[in-house]
């Protein structure tokens, strides 16, 4: 295919991409239902479900009480019995309240029943800090990555939000779709044609030759900002957006890291047992020794206080500093 | 089902568990002897389209629902011929094609799942009912209250059955739960609720028929508490905390002896026929064990199949 033929796209907001994916899936498949707090006529906390209630009605778009265990449990049970529910958990912090049915039942149902039961369920939840404090800011995706039977996706663009949500709703097992408070108001080009983005495929957002920077979700934007600044300093940074955390597309990262010889991971969550350490180890298993570093939150709760919130979280300056320090120590003179 | 059928089903469960525990190498098992009337009374009220979910204490309900005893025994022993290919084992028996959606061994963990099954029936407009049997231990869990609330608001075709055997491992029900009757837990949600003698299979099945019919016709959820007994300790590897004197009293509340005496009194059964039924139940259990023992274990490669 000639590279100058591009599919037609339209610029929409991240929240609109989610609504579009839901609308198309609910139109195509009567088994798709949406459960969650404020997902009905209110249209979702970030307007990401606007219009669905009016189109599909209260049987398929259900406002729930504040009861995360029952919300996810009902979604799992309904999935096991023939529906394809999407359960909206407003913030990822509250996912903890519903982990039992997700981890103990949904992620194991297929295995433990010898393939008799499948749980095609999507749990959509919003991570990340935006001034809401210690119990409304967390990025807990690394916990979920260690659960066999669970898939986890984390888009950073409207196109991927649309495409990955469409893909998640086609899966036969549970998928956690993690978005981010700071992504909802962002806009981007989304293909006009309907389709989906395959789960398990990372994407190179920016090509580079000196260092590979692997990240996901909102931090992809921070990574691109850092890469832009590094470019002006003469450091060519390749930015990989993971998109899917489970399964991880480790080959794409390893190939890039083998080429650049340096790998830095960036996440908004904790470094201990985090996404980064998993990526680094799996890449090192493939490449052998290369220069590595990881950037993430401070080992502290994330306050709603703007000074403390900013202090706890990675930003472009910290990424730049980490990369320069890494290259300085591994390749003196390069940065 | 006739009362004789109910008796036969209870005898089969009792004999099955007796054969299972007679072999110590069969390890940790969750037994339901003493509560056969709950399993059989509930199952008698269900049609093939309905789905039964249970706690981990599921041998009785699985057999009452009509699962093949050989395959159930094989599953309990981890054999590849088991209902779950040997991968679920004790506490996770399942065969949804037979109306046994399955057991789940997290206490209270199947309550929200059962409500979800009911939601699926409701959304797809299938006239079927989901029933969940759970122990008194689950009544302290928040999941029950979340489930009662949603089941009431959405009028789900769900019947919650508390098999109250009055012990959570070693903790007596009175030390763990404040309500006078556990069925009272459903009252604030406006759901029909009742407590029946769980050693009387006729009472259980009568109460269940009414609740199931109501749920099937769109009337919504209900809560039935069945006061049963646990003839074994919590599991086959848990030490018994009740004294011999206490156990002697517990065993006087036997659902099988109760129904048999009733049928003998009424002239619907004679001693010879009863002895024949016991013998048939034992032979069926022995055959189930023979099938299970002869079955192979799954290949170790199965550890990675049906994961994703």
């Amino acid at each position: 295919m000639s590279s100058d033929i591009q599919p037609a796209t339209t610029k929409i907001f991240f929240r609109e991409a989610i609504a579009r994916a839901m609308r198309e899936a609910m139109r195509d498949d009567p088994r798709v239902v949406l459960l969650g707090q404020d997902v009905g006529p209110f249209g979702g906390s970030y307007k990401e479900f606007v219009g669905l209630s009016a189109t599909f009605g209260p049987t398929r778009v259900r406002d729930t009480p504040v009861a995360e265990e029952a919300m996810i449990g009902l979604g799992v049970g309904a999935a096991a019995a023939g529906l394809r529910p999407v359960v909206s958990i407003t913030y990822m912090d509250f996912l903890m309240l519903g982990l039992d049915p997700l981890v103990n039942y949904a992620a194991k149902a297929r295995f433990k029943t010898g393939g008799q039961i499948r749980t095609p369920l999507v749990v959509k939840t919003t991570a990340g800090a935006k001034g809401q404090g210690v119990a409304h800011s967390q990025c807990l995706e690394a916990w979920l990555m260690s659960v066999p039977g669970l898939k986890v996706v984390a888009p950073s663009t409207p196109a991927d939000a649309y495409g990955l949500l469409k893909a998640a709703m086609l899966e036969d097992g549970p998928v956690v779709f993690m978005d981010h408070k700071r992504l909802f108001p962002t806009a981007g080009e989304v293909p006009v044609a309907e389709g989906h983005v395959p789960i398990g495929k990372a994407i190179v957002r920016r090509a580079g030759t000196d260092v590979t920077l692997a990240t996901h979700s909102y931090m992809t934007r921070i990574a691109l900002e850092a890469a832009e600044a590094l470019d002006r300093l003469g450091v060519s940074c390749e930015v990989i957006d993971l998109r899917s955390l489970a399964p991880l597309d480790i080959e794409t990262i390893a190939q890039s890291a083998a080429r650049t010889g340096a790998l830095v991971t960036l996440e908004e969550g904790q470094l201990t047992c985090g996404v980064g350490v998993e990526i680094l180890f799996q890449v090192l298993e493939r490449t052998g020794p290369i220069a590595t570093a990881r950037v993430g939150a401070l080992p502290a709760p994330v306050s709603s206080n703007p000074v403390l919130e900013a202090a706890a979280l990675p930003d472009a300056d910290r990424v730049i500093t980490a990369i320069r320090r890494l290259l300085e120590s591994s390749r003196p003179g390069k940065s | 089902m006739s009362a004789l059928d109910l008796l036969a089903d209870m005898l089969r469960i009792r004999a099955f568990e007796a054969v299972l525990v007679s072999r110590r190498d069969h390890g940790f098992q969750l037994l339901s002897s003493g509560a056969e009337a709950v399993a059989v009374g509930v199952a008698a009220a269900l049609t093939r389209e309905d789905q039964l979910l249970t706690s981990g204490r599921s041998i009785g309900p699985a057999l009452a629902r009509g699962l093949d005893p050989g395959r159930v025994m094989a599953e309990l022993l981890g054999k590849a011929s088991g209902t779950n290919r040997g991968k679920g084992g004790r506490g996770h028996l399942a065969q949804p094609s037979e109306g046994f959606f399955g057991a789940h061994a997290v206490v209270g963990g199947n309550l929200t799942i059962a409500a979800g099954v009911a939601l699926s029936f409701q959304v797809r407009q299938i006239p079927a009912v989901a029933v969940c049997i759970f122990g008194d231990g689950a009544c302290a869990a928040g999941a029950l209250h979340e489930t009662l609330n949603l089941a009431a608001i959405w009028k789900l075709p769900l019947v919650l059955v508390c098999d109250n055997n009055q012990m959570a491992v070693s903790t007596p029900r009175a030390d763990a739960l404040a309500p006078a009757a556990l069925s009272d837990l459903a009252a604030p949600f406006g759901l029909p609720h009742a407590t029946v003698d769980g050693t009387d299979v006729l009472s259980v099945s009568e109460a269940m028929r009414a609740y199931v019919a109501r749920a099937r016709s769109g009337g919504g959820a209900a809560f039935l508490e069945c006061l049963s007994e646990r003839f074994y300790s919590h599991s086959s590897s848990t030490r018994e905390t009740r004294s011999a004197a206490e156990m002697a009293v517990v065993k006087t509340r036997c659902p099988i002896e109760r129904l048999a005496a009733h049928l003998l009194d009424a002239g619907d059964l004679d001693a010879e026929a009863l002895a024949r039924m016991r013998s048939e139940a034992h032979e069926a259990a022995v055959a189930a064990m023979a099938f299970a023992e002869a079955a192979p274990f799954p290949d170790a490669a199965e550890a990675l199949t049906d994961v994703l």
Side-chain angles (χ1 to χ4, degrees):
Chain A
M1 185 165 47
S2 167
S3 62
D4 55 7
I5 299 175
Q6 295 292 330
T9 63
T10 179
K11 192 169 190 177
I12 62 174
F13 286 109
F14 194 97
R15 58 179 165 78
E16 294 175 310
I18 290 174
R20 178 183 160 191
M22 290 300 308
R23 201 159 49 240
E24 290 174 6
M26 295 188 79
R27 176 202 65 201
D28 292 346
D29 189 342
R31 298 172 299 175
V32 177
V33 297
L34 174 62
L35 312 176
Q37 293 158 29
D38 312 306
V39 302
F42 187 68
S45 294
Y46 291 89
K47 299 184 185 172
E48 72 271 47
F49 302 122
V50 160
L52 299 175
S53 176
T55 305
F56 300 105
T59 297
R60 294 180 65 198
V61 181
R62 290 181 177 242
D63 275 325
T64 64
V66 183
E68 281 80 7
E69 183 175 358
M71 290 158 63
I72 295 181
L74 262 76
V76 172
L83 296 182
R84 301 185 77 89
V86 175
V87 177
S88 171
I89 298 296
T90 307
Y91 292 147
M92 195 173 220
D93 315 69
F94 313 153
L95 189 57
M96 292 183 218
L97 295 156
L99 280 182
D100 172 60
L102 182 65
V103 174
N104 280 325
Y105 195 100
K108 296 168 177 61
R110 180 177 173 183
F111 178 88
K112 77 166 188 169
T113 64
Q116 295 176 94
I117 288 179
R118 307 279 176 101
T119 53
L121 168 86
V122 179
V123 175
K124 175 208 166 294
T125 191
T126 299
K130 197 182 178 190
Q132 295 183 338
V134 296
H136 290 62
S137 300
Q138 295 167 88
C139 294
L140 304 173
E141 58 272 28
W143 294 6
L144 305 172
M145 289 167 67
S146 67
V147 179
L150 208 53
K151 293 185 177 181
V152 184
V153 297
S156 73
T157 66
D160 283 349
Y162 165 77
L164 286 170
L165 185 52
K166 287 290 290 287
M169 287 187 279
L170 295 172
E171 286 284 320
D172 282 334
V175 180
V176 175
F177 177 96
M178 165 195 165
D179 50 34
H180 192 290
K181 298 177 189 72
R182 293 183 191 271
L183 287 173
F184 288 115
T186 65
E189 295 294 329
V190 177
V192 172
E194 295 184 13
H196 67 271
V197 171
I199 292 174
K201 296 281 180 205
I203 188 168
V204 176
R205 293 283 179 208
R206 179 189 176 106
T209 54
D210 295 328
V211 59
T212 299
L213 179 56
T215 187
H216 64 280
S217 189
Y218 174 69
M219 282 293 133
T220 303
R221 298 176 73 91
I222 302 297
L224 290 168
E225 189 186 329
E228 188 69 38
L230 284 164
D231 189 60
R232 291 193 293 272
L233 297 171
V235 176
S236 172
C237 179
E238 181 145 301
V239 175
I240 296 179
D241 179 359
L242 303 169
R243 302 201 286 189
S244 170
L245 301 175
L248 261 177
D249 181 4
I250 210 71
E251 293 307 329
T252 294
I253 310 166
Q255 282 166 20
S256 170
R259 189 161 35 76
T260 63
L263 175 58
V264 176
T265 61
L266 168 63
E267 63 198 296
E268 187 175 326
Q270 290 293 310
L271 289 175
T272 300
C273 300
V275 178
V277 72
E278 182 61 35
I279 289 171
L280 292 172
F281 193 86
Q282 287 197 37
V283 167
L284 287 170
E285 285 179 317
R286 285 163 175 76
T287 62
I290 58 170
T292 58
R294 52 188 177 146
V295 182
L298 296 185
V302 179
S303 175
S304 57
N305 177 300
V307 174
L308 300 179
E309 180 183 277
L313 300 181
D315 58 15
D317 283 346
R318 285 185 210 181
V319 176
I320 292 163
T321 301
I323 288 176
R324 294 187 72 184
R325 188 175 295 150
L326 178 70
L327 295 184
E328 192 67 38
S329 61
S330 61
R331 288 173 242 167
K334 178 60 205 173
S335 64
Chain B
M1 280 179 94
S2 72
L4 281 171
D5 292 332
L6 300 176
L7 180 63
D9 277 1
M10 292 197 292
L11 284 165
R12 276 194 276 270
I13 295 168
R14 182 71 57 90
F16 182 100
E17 291 194 345
V19 167
L20 177 62
V21 295
S22 68
R23 288 280 301 270
R24 291 206 165 255
D25 59 335
H26 293 152
F28 171 95
Q29 299 290 350
L30 296 160
L31 303 165
S32 51
S33 287
E36 293 93 340
V38 179
V40 172
V42 166
L46 303 182
T47 66
R48 181 65 176 268
E49 293 70 34
D50 299 328
Q51 288 291 352
L52 179 60
L53 297 90
T54 73
S55 68
R57 201 174 296 286
S58 56
I59 294 172
L63 295 176
R65 201 68 177 112
L67 270 57
D68 178 77
R71 294 194 64 198
V72 172
M73 193 72 87
E75 188 61 36
L76 295 171
L77 304 192
K79 299 301 187 70
S81 308
T83 50
N84 308 32
R85 303 172 59 87
K87 298 175 80 168
R90 62 190 78 92
H92 296 280
L93 295 168
Q95 202 169 350
S97 62
E98 301 297 310
F100 189 68
F101 212 79
H104 186 51
V106 174
V107 172
N110 234 354
L111 290 161
T112 61
I113 306 299
V117 174
L119 176 64
S120 174
F121 290 152
Q122 186 186 61
V123 169
R124 295 186 295 138
Q125 299 183 304
I126 295 170
V129 178
V131 175
C132 187
I133 301 178
F134 52 97
D136 44 301
C139 289
L144 176 62
H145 305 269
E146 294 187 17
T147 301
L148 285 166
N149 184 47
L150 269 168
I153 289 174
W154 290 352
K155 288 191 144 219
L156 295 177
L158 175 71
V159 181
L160 298 173
V161 179
C162 177
D163 177 1
N164 178 3
N165 65 25
Q166 304 164 67
M167 294 287 283
V169 186
S170 71
T171 306
R173 169 257 192 268
D175 292 352
L177 293 156
L182 296 182
S183 58
D184 289 346
L185 290 167
F189 301 96
L191 296 180
H193 57 283
T195 298
V196 297
D197 185 340
T199 68
D200 179 5
V201 69
L202 301 174
S203 293
V204 174
S205 64
E206 185 186 343
M208 276 303 289
R209 277 200 184 86
Y211 285 157
V212 168
R214 185 176 180 280
R216 197 187 308 285
S217 63
F223 186 115
L224 181 67
E225 176 189 13
C226 303
L227 295 170
S228 70
E229 300 293 345
R230 200 183 71 197
F231 281 7
Y232 293 102
S233 57
H234 165 70
S235 81
S236 57
S237 61
T238 309
R239 64 190 182 280
E240 180 58 73
T241 52
R242 297 168 290 185
S243 68
E246 286 173 308
M247 287 310 296
V249 174
V250 163
K251 295 221 169 160
T252 62
R253 293 208 345 111
C254 175
I256 291 172
E257 297 310 320
R258 178 179 183 142
L259 181 60
H262 170 74
L263 293 172
L264 290 166
D265 280 353
D268 294 332
L269 180 70
D270 58 40
E272 191 183 333
L274 177 59
R276 196 163 55 243
M277 289 172 78
R278 288 188 197 280
S279 163
E280 284 169 4
H282 175 72
E283 283 161 23
V286 169
M289 180 58 82
F291 171 83
E293 301 240 89
F297 280 104
D299 190 280
E302 290 257 342
L304 279 172
T305 61
D306 279 326
V307 174
L308 268 177

